[in-house]
């Protein structure tokens, strides 16, 4: 199963049906394509409440195994000033990343050049902070709307190593860890998977242990 989240104010985005068909054809896997339209949420008053509910909706998908999340930057139908577009979208990406660091994340827009020109050039006082947020959110690429379908297809065929492990943990969710002395000894993969997915403190410990086991499988560390 390949799960893809699309956050876009088109209902539905024009590329969704062909995207699902093409990925299923090329990967021979079923595709669960989840579309969240932010418009109803961002018309809620007060605006902060609507954004909070939208973030919760995004996170309800992020807690699942998710291969790819793609966020439209230009939420033109929500009645917000264009200069707020990237800021709002970054908040949604950050909400997603709180729960899921295994998925690949893309930002896209049909007016990408204009939005980036404003946020990263004209709005100079916020440029440094915006760039830091982009890097911390581990955004793989900024794409035009015409590119997003192709890039999602490529990414679906080349999952990140964190996502590969995420899927293995999910497939073997009933198995138990037997790492004596560790915080996760005796726990099932099902109990650990969300920590791994969000890369919280325990998730980082699991990741480090997997890396150590991988290295030990190649090199005899006791020589």
């Amino acid at each position: 199963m390949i799960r893809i989240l699309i956050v876009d104010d088109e209902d539905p985005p024009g590329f969704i049906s062909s995207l699902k068909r093409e990925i299923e054809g090329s990967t021979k896997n079923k595709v669960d394509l989840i579309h969240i339209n932010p418009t109803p949420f961002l018309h809620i008053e007060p605006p902060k409440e609507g954004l909070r509910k939208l973030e919760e909706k995004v996170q309800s998908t992020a807690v699942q195994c998710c291969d790819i999340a793609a966020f439209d930057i230009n939420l033109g139908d929500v009645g917000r000033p264009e200069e707020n577009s990237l800021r709002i979208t970054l908040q949604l990406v950050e909400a997603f990343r709180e729960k899921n660091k295994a998925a690949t994340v893309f930002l896209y827009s049909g007016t990408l050049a204009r939005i980036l020109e404003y946020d990263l050039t004209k709005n100079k006082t916020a440029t440094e902070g915006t760039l830091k947020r982009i890097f911390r959110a581990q955004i793989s690429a900024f794409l035009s709307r015409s590119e997003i379908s192709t890039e999602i297809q490529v990414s679906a065929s080349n999952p990140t190593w964190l996502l590969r492990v995420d899927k293995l943990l999910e497939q073997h969710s009933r198995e138990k860890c037997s790492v004596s002395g560790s915080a996760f000894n005796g726990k099932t993969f099902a109990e650990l998977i969300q920590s791994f997915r969000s890369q919280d403190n325990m998730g980082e410990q699991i990741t480090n242990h997997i890396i150590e086991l991988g290295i030990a499988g190649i090199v005899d560390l006791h020589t």
Side-chain angles (χ1 to χ4, degrees):
M1 170 75 75
I2 295 174
R3 183 173 288 115
I4 301 169
L5 170 65
I6 305 289
V7 179
D8 194 307
D9 59 347
E10 282 191 17
D11 200 6
F15 59 83
I16 275 189
S17 58
S18 60
L19 176 65
K20 180 176 181 178
R21 183 173 60 253
E22 288 166 6
I23 292 177
E24 287 180 337
S26 62
T27 66
K28 309 304 179 186
N29 288 306
K30 289 187 177 180
V31 173
D32 180 15
L33 211 158
I34 302 163
H35 171 229
I36 297 176
N37 184 350
T39 304
F41 296 93
L42 296 180
H43 281 153
I44 293 173
E45 294 293 340
K48 286 185 178 180
E49 178 65 12
L51 186 56
R52 182 188 66 79
K53 290 183 176 181
L54 178 55
E55 289 175 351
E56 289 177 351
K57 181 68 173 177
V58 168
Q59 288 187 329
S60 70
T61 298
V63 296
Q64 307 171 57
C65 181
C66 189
D67 295 63
I68 299 157
F71 296 79
D72 182 14
I73 302 173
N74 187 22
L75 304 176
D77 290 345
V78 302
R80 302 289 181 92
E82 187 175 80
E83 58 265 28
N84 289 339
S85 295
L86 183 56
R87 179 182 60 79
I88 292 172
T89 304
L90 280 176
Q91 282 185 248
L92 299 180
V93 173
E94 288 164 346
F96 180 90
R97 281 303 195 201
E98 282 182 22
K99 302 296 183 182
N100 192 317
K101 290 187 172 66
T104 297
V105 172
F106 294 117
L107 298 187
Y108 68 95
S109 174
T111 57
L112 181 62
R114 188 168 73 245
I115 290 171
L116 292 182
E117 180 184 6
Y118 180 87
D119 280 280
L120 301 181
T121 305
K122 293 182 180 179
N123 193 8
K124 293 181 180 179
T125 58
T127 296
E128 184 177 343
T130 298
L131 288 173
K132 285 181 179 178
R133 292 175 70 187
I134 289 169
F135 288 124
R136 286 172 182 164
Q138 301 171 35
I139 295 167
S140 295
F142 283 80
L143 304 167
S144 66
R145 182 172 285 270
S146 62
E147 296 173 311
I148 187 62
S149 182
T150 300
E151 290 299 322
I152 288 177
Q153 290 179 57
V154 171
S155 182
S157 300
N158 297 280
T160 66
W161 83 269
L162 276 178
L163 181 58
R164 293 174 191 268
V165 176
D166 189 324
K167 287 177 176 286
L168 284 172
L169 292 175
E170 193 166 74
Q171 289 169 13
H172 302 282
S173 59
R174 295 183 180 180
E175 298 292 334
K176 285 189 176 182
C177 291
S178 55
V179 185
S180 59
S182 72
F184 41 91
N185 186 47
K187 293 183 180 292
T188 65
F189 288 176
E191 293 175 294
L192 297 173
I193 193 168
Q194 191 52 55
S195 284
F196 179 82
R197 194 170 288 153
S198 65
Q199 286 293 288
D200 61 16
N201 184 54
M202 183 176 288
E204 289 181 350
Q205 291 181 49
I206 297 167
T207 301
N208 290 336
H209 187 68
I210 291 171
I211 292 171
E212 289 171 3
L213 287 175
I215 294 173
I218 300 172
V219 179
D220 185 353
L221 298 181
H222 301 289
T223 59

